[in-house]
């Protein structure tokens, strides 16, 4: 089973990678929404090349077909994506995948695919998007880790550096962040804080 970096950065545009990867980011997800396919292809290619330069693991959200086509080796799929994803094709291509989960039934289903990780969220209230699930809390993180066993667990939703000790003590293997960095007055400084705050949890 793979080891995930404890700091998992999520960005919605490849431009952010140009400024944030030099902070020491080792694991990043490109989460593109509502863009034309030509632009999605351009951003995936650019992210692939940038991450290769910095020794960073790139994860492509949703677009598993394009990830395969463009030579990426890791994708993240939500519950809806799992309905249409060709897991056999991904495995044959050597592409690892992480899966989103929000309730016990989703977790059980996700684990049946033997993913590289499962994600649980939102742990805390989040500004990212309207969600039908309320904050899951740290007790749910602990429960998820027990159920997931050796499968790495990613916590996401409302995380900040000051909440990391509780999240990792509860059993998370990696902490995913979106808005805390993107909405910061200085995203680079905030990203550096995250890299520093998660260093103690890096194996």
């Amino acid at each position: 089973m793979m080891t995930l970096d404890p700091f998992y950065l999520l960005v919605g545009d490849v431009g952010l990678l140009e400024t944030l990867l030099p902070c020491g980011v080792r694991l990043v997800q490109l989460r593109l929404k509502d863009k034309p396919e030509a632009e999605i292809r351009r951003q995936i290619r650019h992210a692939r090349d940038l991450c290769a330069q910095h020794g960073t693991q790139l994860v492509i959200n949703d677009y598993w077909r394009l990830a395969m086509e463009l030579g990426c080796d890791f994708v993240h799929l939500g519950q809806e994506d799992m309905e249409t994803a060709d897991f056999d094709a991904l495995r044959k291509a050597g592409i690892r995948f992480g899966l989103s989960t929000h309730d016990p039934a989703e977790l059980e289903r996700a684990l049946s695919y033997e993913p590289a990780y499962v994600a649980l969220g939102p742990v805390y209230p989040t500004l990212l998007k309207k969600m039908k699930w309320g904050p899951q809390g740290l007790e749910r993180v602990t429960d998820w880790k027990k159920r997931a066993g050796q499968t790495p667990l990613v916590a996401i939703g409302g995380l900040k550096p000051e909440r990391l000790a509780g999240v990792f003590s509860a059993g998370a293997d990696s902490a995913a962040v979106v808005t805390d960095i993107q909405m910061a007055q200085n995203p680079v400084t905030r990203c550096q804080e995250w890299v520093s705050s998660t260093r103690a949890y890096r194996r």
Side-chain angles (χ1 to χ4, degrees), residues 64-76:
W64 60 271
R65 290 184 183 88
L66 287 177
M68 288 178 70
E69 181 186 328
L70 299 174
C72 301
D73 65 359
F74 210 141
V75 298
H76 178 90

Side-chain angles (χ1 to χ4, degrees), residues 21-194:
L21 287 186
C23 297
V25 177
R26 296 185 184 178
L27 177 65
V28 67
Q29 183 183 130
L30 184 62
R31 194 181 208 176
L32 301 172
K33 303 287 182 187
D34 306 320
K35 297 183 191 300
E37 184 172 332
E39 174 62 7
I40 291 167
R41 283 175 177 276
R42 183 195 72 80
Q43 291 214 25
I44 290 176
R45 278 196 201 95
H46 191 26
R48 177 197 66 198
D49 296 344
L50 282 172
C51 287
Q53 290 168 23
H54 288 274
T56 302
Q57 175 64 61
L58 173 65
V59 182
I60 302 298
N61 182 260
D62 291 353
Y63 297 103
W64 60 271
R65 290 184 183 88
L66 287 177
M68 288 178 70
E69 181 186 328
L70 299 174
C72 301
D73 65 359
F74 210 141
V75 298
H76 178 90
L77 302 172
Q79 288 289 314
E80 299 81 12
D81 306 309
M82 289 166 61
E83 301 290 344
T84 55
D86 187 338
F87 287 99
D88 288 337
L90 289 170
R91 290 190 188 96
K92 281 177 186 168
I95 297 175
R96 293 168 293 174
F97 48 87
L99 302 174
S100 290
T101 65
H102 309 87
D103 62 42
E106 289 184 357
L107 177 61
E108 191 173 335
R109 180 186 179 211
L111 289 172
S112 73
Y113 289 102
E114 299 182 349
Y117 70 77
V118 290
L120 170 68
V123 176
Y124 293 99
T126 176
L127 303 171
L128 183 60
K129 56 184 177 180
K130 292 254 186 269
M131 303 195 73
K132 63 182 179 181
W133 301 275
Q136 305 271 9
L138 295 180
E139 286 184 9
R140 180 63 71 92
V141 174
T142 300
D143 180 42
W144 246 232
K145 186 55 188 173
K146 283 179 186 167
R147 293 169 185 252
Q150 294 299 306
T151 303
L153 174 62
V154 174
I156 185 170
L159 301 188
K160 302 175 183 296
E162 55 268 26
R163 288 172 167 167
L164 290 176
V167 168
F168 287 117
S169 295
D173 297 288
S174 185
V177 59
V178 189
T179 53
D180 187 65
I181 289 175
Q182 291 186 23
M183 296 178 71
Q185 274 193 313
N186 188 327
V188 170
T189 300
R190 192 58 165 171
C191 188
Q192 289 168 340
E193 285 179 40
W194 272 84

